[in-house]
Amino acid sequence: MERRKFFKSVGLITAAAYIGPKVFGNNQVPVKASGIEGVPASEFPPLPFAYNALEPYIDARTMEIHYDKHHRAYYTNFINAIKGTPIEGKPLSDIFSTMSKQTDAVRNNGGGYYNHLFFWKNLGTGSSGPSADLSSAITKSFGSVDKFKDTFNTSAKTRFGSGWAWLYIGADKNLAVASSPNQDNPLMDISPVKGTPLLTLDVWEHAYYLKYQNKRPDYIDAFWNVVNWEEVNRRYQQALKG
Ligand code: MN
């Protein structure tokens, strides 16, 4: 009974450590290095802000369905897909780096679980923008912050069908932009673009259709008003240390 109790507490602590606080924004408590790439949460993680927090850029109804239906389904299906298999209890970083050996259910639902966790963290209001360090790196790779945004926008607009746009640090340590299909991401060994992701945008129709219908470019433009740069900056600094 004591053992049971102990493991139960550890599970809760682990979950709390990388779900992060419910308070959103600049006062976010830094997550551990393992962060969202760690062991999957034992319970579906809370959205780090209210459904209406990103209005008018992302509407409350879209946020509610996106988080409570789509994201929750990925989480549930992922947990079910790994249950009783050798990868149960393994960090997401390990699962993604061996994705070529995993099932389609693990690839699609594991990606869907992680990509949305990542996306929620890099959304917010009242952000001040990229740090001096990140701005320099962006300027080095893209010419300017505006040119970086143009590149990212083009990547997001031209992803055919469903997928994600990413800013990531490639193997050469430089910043790069790419998109991925479906629920793939740059941490997966099967991805043609590999690296450490810093910022992402969900361009599945479920992310914008209620408000923007077929106008994906309008949704992409609106996205820049709700980027939580403090989280992007934090991930950049963490990646430099790693
Ligand atoms: Mn989505």
Side-chain angles (χ1 to χ4, degrees):
M1 183 169 149
E2 283 309 303
R3 263 176 76 89
R4 247 182 113 90
K5 246 181 161 168
F6 171 76
F7 282 115
K8 202 171 176 192
S9 327
V10 168
L12 287 172
I13 290 162
T14 307
Y18 79 93
I19 287 164
K22 286 188 183 180
V23 181
F24 176 76
N26 305 354
N27 298 323
Q28 221 160 21
V29 175
V31 290
K32 288 169 131 185
S34 55
I36 57 172
E37 288 84 17
V39 176
S42 55
E43 286 177 31
F44 182 49
L47 188 68
F49 45 81
Y51 292 139
N52 66 358
L54 309 177
E55 292 266 14
Y57 308 107
I58 301 178
D59 61 290
R61 182 73 177 134
T62 296
M63 274 309 313
E64 181 174 2
I65 297 169
H66 201 172
Y67 166 75
D68 198 44
K69 304 295 183 201
H70 293 274
H71 192 199
R72 186 185 294 277
Y74 288 121
Y75 171 76
T76 305
N77 293 334
F78 176 54
I79 296 301
N80 289 336
I82 61 175
K83 197 174 283 176
T85 76
I87 57 169
E88 184 176 15
K90 290 274 196 297
L92 287 174
S93 51
D94 288 6
I95 296 174
F96 291 158
S97 65
T98 57
M99 193 53 82
S100 52
K101 298 184 178 71
Q102 314 301 343
T103 62
D104 284 350
V106 169
R107 176 176 176 172
N108 294 331
N109 295 298
Y113 166 54
Y114 170 83
N115 294 351
H116 287 92
L117 266 187
F118 193 113
F119 187 40
W120 310 145
K121 278 182 157 319
N122 79 206
L123 292 175
T125 53
S127 189
S128 53
S131 64
D133 283 356
L134 181 57
S135 291
S136 309
I138 286 174
T139 302
K140 186 182 160 213
S141 292
F142 302 98
S144 69
V145 173
D146 283 345
K147 283 181 185 165
F148 150 67
K149 287 182 180 175
D150 287 345
T151 307
F152 189 95
N153 289 351
T154 301
S155 188
K157 285 174 197 168
T158 56
R159 163 51 54 190
F160 185 76
S162 299
W164 297 75
W166 302 91
L167 169 67
Y168 65 100
I169 304 178
D172 61 1
K173 301 289 177 195
N174 287 318
L175 296 183
V177 158
S179 71
S180 61
N182 303 313
Q183 296 295 354
D184 289 355
N185 66 52
L187 294 171
M188 294 181 179
D189 67 346
I190 41 86
S191 176
V193 290
K194 287 186 217 23
T196 304
L198 302 180
L199 172 71
T200 194
L201 175 61
D202 187 344
V203 295
W204 282 59
E205 283 188 345
H206 69 227
Y208 61 87
Y209 208 85
L210 286 181
K211 183 178 173 73
Y212 296 95
Q213 292 84 47
N214 59 319
K215 299 185 284 288
R216 187 192 285 186
D218 291 358
Y219 159 72
I220 295 168
D221 287 343
F223 162 70
W224 296 108
N225 294 290
V226 288
V227 171
N228 176 12
W229 283 103
E230 283 65 31
E231 174 64 7
V232 187
N233 295 335
R234 189 195 63 75
R235 287 194 67 93
Y236 179 63
Q237 292 302 329
Q238 183 182 283
L240 289 186
K241 279 184 231 154

